[in-house]
Amino acid sequence: MSAHIRPVSPVFVVLVCLAFCSRLSSMKAASICTNGQTGCHFISLANLFDRVIQHSARMHGISNDLHSEFELYFLPSKNQIGRVSHNCHTSTILTPNGKENAQRIAREELTEVILKLLVAWRDPLWHFHQDMAQHHEFNNFSSNKSLEMSDMVHELRKGVQKVVEKMQMLGIISPSIGNLGTPEALLASDSAEWRLMNDYDLLYCFRRDSNKIQHYLKILKCRIVPEHGC
């Protein structure tokens, strides 16, 4: 007497296939994660660039808003605004002028410029937030923006450092710049130069530098992964 063999359900086959493919996909992702981490998610270099570029765009947008609000509260006269001179503490950091010059310098050098600018703004923005919190004319919404801007610089620096690590892992840039994310390797960010700036100069200079950072990140991405949205 022959045993009756039940046909395999097509739904069961699909579910097994999906589970197997999912397992393979996760194993592949885990195998290329750095530092031997388990269960980490694979993120492509292009996606990492997109994240830091979007973050830098939001940061620059906040700096624009704060700059405009500061003019409204503290510099009501347009003639007064025109007479303001801006002395930026980051003027000692050599930055390429224009897109062509930024495209011409080495990848490592452009990456170093981005990180230097981010580190240079770490302490000044925190102290700016502390100062703004004491100004009753400056509303709480604007004070919260100054804190958000300070936090975004910190997060963007960590994000750019992840991009650096990924480029090094892929052999795109030299591993010799591995410590660029540390303040000691870049400059003394606690130097007294930025303390000589008034609040308006500080906001003006950060708006300028945040715009540079955003453009440099876009240029760096297009030089390294030009097939992704360039």
Side-chain angles (χ1 to χ4, degrees):
M1 184 176 179
S2 60
H4 178 67
I5 301 176
R6 297 178 60 184
V8 178
S9 169
V11 175
F12 176 78
V13 174
V14 171
L15 290 175
V16 171
C17 181
L18 287 174
F20 180 73
C21 292
S22 175
R23 177 62 177 168
L24 280 179
S25 177
S26 64
M27 289 174 63
K28 182 179 179 182
S31 66
I32 53 181
C33 286
T34 58
N35 302 325
Q37 298 169 335
T38 58
C40 58
H41 299 287
F42 170 71
I43 303 176
S44 69
L45 180 58
N47 285 339
L48 284 175
F49 265 117
D50 287 340
R51 292 185 181 194
V52 294
I53 289 171
Q54 290 169 8
H55 195 89
S56 67
R58 290 193 298 270
M59 185 178 73
H60 180 58
I62 292 176
S63 72
N64 264 326
D65 292 343
L66 273 175
H67 183 265
S68 298
E69 290 176 26
F70 198 92
E71 285 185 342
L72 179 65
Y73 280 103
F74 299 107
L75 295 175
S77 170
K78 292 184 179 180
N79 292 330
Q80 186 179 0
I81 294 173
R83 292 196 300 268
V84 172
S85 60
H86 307 289
N87 300 309
C88 301
H89 74 293
T90 54
S91 59
T92 56
I93 300 175
L94 298 179
T95 59
N97 292 322
K99 183 177 180 180
E100 291 184 0
N101 289 326
Q103 290 174 329
R104 201 172 289 128
I105 67 174
R107 296 166 175 173
E108 288 86 352
E109 189 176 349
L110 188 57
T111 305
E112 183 177 355
V113 168
I114 294 169
L115 284 169
K116 279 185 176 182
L117 289 172
L118 288 170
V119 171
W121 281 105
R122 182 191 58 179
D123 290 344
L125 288 178
W126 170 250
H127 285 277
F128 171 74
H129 165 67
Q130 296 294 318
D131 191 26
M132 286 299 97
Q134 299 175 12
H135 282 287
H136 298 295
E137 302 91 339
F138 215 53
N139 58 45
N140 289 332
F141 182 67
S142 298
S143 179
N144 291 337
K145 277 186 180 179
S146 67
L147 177 60
E148 183 181 3
M149 193 166 62
S150 175
D151 291 340
M152 291 186 80
V153 168
H154 175 69
E155 292 301 320
L156 183 58
R157 184 177 67 83
K158 291 197 300 183
V160 172
Q161 190 63 36
K162 290 293 183 184
V163 173
V164 170
E165 292 170 2
K166 188 76 171 181
M167 289 193 293
Q168 290 173 336
M169 185 183 73
L170 297 173
I172 296 173
I173 62 174
S174 168
S176 62
I177 64 171
N179 294 323
L180 277 178
T182 60
E184 295 79 9
L186 294 167
L187 51 91
S189 62
D190 59 347
S191 64
E193 289 184 20
W194 62 266
R195 298 179 187 273
L196 301 177
M197 291 194 297
N198 60 43
D199 291 332
Y200 181 73
D201 277 349
L202 187 143
L203 273 178
Y204 173 88
C205 294
F206 181 68
R207 185 182 65 165
R208 184 201 68 176
D209 287 347
S210 64
N211 187 50
K212 286 183 179 181
I213 291 168
Q214 181 183 0
H215 285 296
Y216 293 162
L217 284 170
K218 289 179 179 179
I219 290 170
L220 192 61
K221 177 197 172 185
C222 288
R223 289 179 60 181
I224 294 173
V225 281
E227 66 277 10
H228 292 275
C230 292

